[in-house]
Amino acid sequence: LATVSVLYWLNFPATMQWDFVAAAVQAVMEVLCVASFGAYLAGKGVFPMEAVKVIDKLILNLYIPCLVLNSVVPEVRLSMFQDLWPLMMVCFWNLFWGIFIGWVISLVLRAPRLKGVVQACIAFPNTTAVVLTLSQVLSGTAPVLEIYRRVASSKDIDGKTDSEIGDDLFEKATALVLTSSVWWSIAKWAVAYNLMAPPEGGQTWQQRAKKLVNPPIIACLLAFSLGFIPGVGHWWQGRSRTALVIVGSFEKGGRCLVPSMLLVLGARIYHSLKNGVLSKKVDDPEQEPLQLQDGNPNEIEDLDDQPLVEAGYEDAHSNIENDDELSMVAKVLIVFFRQVVCLGLGILFVWLVSHASTDVMMLVVCFLQTAGPPMINLSVMAGLHGAYEVDLAQVLLVAYLFSIISWVVGITVLLEVLTRIL
């Protein structure tokens, strides 16, 4: 109702509205449908939290390095820093505002231990999977084609039909999103991964360095080094037998990343809901207090050896031991600032960059990489650190459902702004 009301107020054509709604629903449902498989497997008992932890380690140590190497090596070139500067700036834009807003929220809530996780949730939106789907769908819509015809040079549009221009924009959107994953990968695993770590005192510099120099960062540095060697990028894209074997192996490893992250997210959502119900037993006022027989104090020690499962409190210990839980207020503020306030910041960034660049698809991708829900990698990072797993699974579920509304409203406002400023 909120989406339809805003679109009616903006007086947009009905056909345009449904294009945006369909694009948003398609992008979000692809995520939720695959995640539902993970929830189903967890419900059947074949995807316990122990298996989730194993997949987390595979993602960190294998799948992400494979994807980074396969994506970065053929794309690295000196000209990319000159041609794609808006996509680089939008990364710093998100980092600045996310870290600042997260710091303010931690001060307001008087919860300094939660500062890092709140900053990571706000500073790092989904910048690849959902953005790729949305940008590809938008590349062929009437308003984007109309704006592009108005600002493009004659050599780019002369003699081309809307369908041909749409195909060109589709390929450009795909290239922009995949290329920008280079610096986003570095930012995610150098900044977000360390922000997600619960604060621990007494850490040595070796322990801190080990967290910073993780497998994805090593893969990024290696990919940049290989990409700048003359001929390596061309060989990587070649069709020789050696290239097909080596590159094909990395490609297949990288393809496992997104399905694995979504399955893990679905399993965590299921276990979070299950733990939420079971944890209520801990605070049940009707439960009889522990009675000692004959005043024997050794009974308390004996209870330490009794599994909680036998008493019906399976997985409840995670709720008891973890003092660093996100409050409901913190969860609401994360979703609000990530998908409402950052939506406005995305529009502001596009308006600022439009004074120096009139590349329509570049501006669209910049906005989409600012206004989305938190990245799914946060769920994996939480599992690797062993903190905030339940809370982030709940935040991601609500955020991606709400993003259907925020995407439609945001894209509608974006195209209205682009129509007026370009």
Side-chain angles (χ1 to χ4, degrees):
L1 290 176
T3 304
V4 174
S5 300
V6 171
L7 294 175
Y8 179 77
W9 175 68
L10 290 171
N11 195 28
F12 267 62
T15 54
M16 193 183 304
Q17 298 171 18
W18 289 114
D19 284 343
F20 301 161
V21 173
V25 170
Q26 176 184 347
V28 174
M29 291 310 296
E30 286 179 358
V31 172
L32 296 181
C33 285
V34 180
S36 67
F37 298 154
Y40 170 77
L41 293 175
K44 297 290 288 184
V46 297
F47 206 175
M49 286 303 295
E50 292 78 7
V52 171
K53 297 289 186 181
V54 173
I55 301 298
D56 286 340
K57 294 179 181 179
L58 283 174
I59 290 173
L60 176 69
N61 293 283
L62 179 62
Y63 299 156
I64 292 178
C66 284
L67 181 67
V68 168
L69 286 168
N70 190 57
S71 302
V72 174
V73 172
E75 299 294 337
V76 171
R77 61 189 186 281
L78 292 176
S79 60
M80 66 185 287
F81 298 102
Q82 179 180 356
D83 300 337
L84 306 178
W85 65 267
L87 291 177
M88 292 178 150
M89 291 302 298
V90 79
C91 182
F92 290 105
W93 179 266
N94 278 283
L95 283 175
F96 171 78
W97 286 110
I99 291 175
F100 173 74
I101 293 172
W103 173 72
V104 172
I105 291 176
S106 68
L107 288 180
V108 172
L109 297 181
R110 297 181 180 179
R113 290 183 64 84
L114 301 180
K115 180 177 68 174
V117 65
V118 175
Q119 288 175 331
C121 289
I122 298 176
F124 290 91
N126 188 308
T127 58
T128 306
V130 176
V131 172
L132 183 62
T133 300
L134 285 172
S135 60
Q136 289 174 341
V137 172
L138 289 174
S139 63
T141 57
V144 171
L145 293 174
E146 180 182 348
I147 297 171
Y148 180 78
R149 282 189 175 277
R150 190 164 63 245
V151 300
S153 60
S154 57
K155 66 177 182 179
D156 293 330
I157 59 175
D158 283 350
K160 290 186 177 181
T161 63
D162 285 348
S163 177
E164 292 173 335
I165 294 176
D167 291 340
D168 293 341
L169 295 180
F170 181 96
E171 294 178 1
K172 184 169 188 177
T174 303
L176 290 174
V177 174
L178 295 180
T179 304
S180 66
S181 66
V182 174
W183 42 86
W184 275 110
S185 296
I186 297 175
K188 289 173 183 177
W189 292 98
V191 180
Y193 183 64
N194 286 276
L195 287 176
M196 288 292 298
E200 299 175 2
Q203 283 190 323
T204 63
W205 68 268
Q206 292 96 333
Q207 292 172 320
R208 296 181 183 276
K210 185 177 180 181
K211 288 185 178 180
L212 181 62
V213 186
N214 49 63
I217 295 298
I218 296 174
C220 287
L221 296 176
L222 178 61
F224 266 100
S225 302
L226 293 174
F228 281 118
I229 298 176
V232 173
H234 183 267
W235 174 85
W236 197 278
Q237 294 176 309
R239 293 301 172 188
S240 66
R241 291 185 179 275
T242 306
L244 288 175
V245 172
I246 297 177
V247 177
S249 301
F250 285 108
E251 182 181 0
K252 289 178 174 62
R255 286 179 181 177
C256 298
L257 174 62
V258 175
S260 298
M261 287 197 304
L262 295 179
L263 290 173
V264 163
L265 174 62
R268 280 202 168 90
I269 290 173
Y270 172 83
H271 289 297
S272 70
L273 296 176
K274 180 182 177 183
N275 290 353
V277 174
L278 290 170
S279 62
K280 293 180 181 179
K281 292 185 178 182
V282 178
D283 300 322
D284 188 356
E286 298 181 0
Q287 185 176 4
E288 295 183 2
L290 178 65
Q291 299 291 336
L292 297 180
Q293 297 179 0
D294 302 326
N296 183 11
N298 293 328
E299 287 190 23
I300 297 179
E301 297 179 2
D302 295 339
L303 289 174
D304 292 337
D305 299 327
Q306 180 182 4
L308 290 175
V309 177
E310 296 179 7
Y313 301 110
E314 182 181 2
D315 292 334
H317 60 281
S318 61
N319 298 78
I320 299 173
E321 295 176 355
N322 188 8
D323 295 329
D324 296 325
E325 294 182 351
L326 288 172
S327 65
M328 182 59 66
V329 176
K331 295 175 184 177
V332 171
L333 289 176
I334 287 173
V335 175
F336 173 76
F337 278 97
R338 176 63 263 157
Q339 293 177 252
V340 178
V341 175
C342 288
L343 188 150
L345 292 174
I347 296 293
L348 175 60
F349 181 84
V350 168
W351 178 77
L352 293 173
V353 173
S354 66
H355 292 82
S357 174
T358 58
D359 189 326
V360 177
M361 287 312 302
M362 179 84 72
L363 297 175
V364 169
V365 171
C366 285
F367 170 78
L368 296 178
Q369 290 188 334
T370 305
M375 64 176 182
I376 301 173
N377 302 64
L378 292 174
S379 175
V380 176
M381 294 176 183
L384 293 169
H385 288 302
Y388 315 112
E389 295 180 72
V390 172
D391 297 313
L392 281 180
Q394 297 170 351
V395 168
L396 290 173
L397 175 62
V398 174
Y400 276 82
L401 289 173
F402 178 72
S403 67
I404 295 177
I405 296 176
S406 62
W407 278 130
V408 174
V409 175
I411 292 171
T412 303
V413 176
L414 169 70
L415 294 181
E416 179 69 14
V417 171
L418 290 179
T419 301
R420 297 186 181 187
I421 64 178
L422 295 181

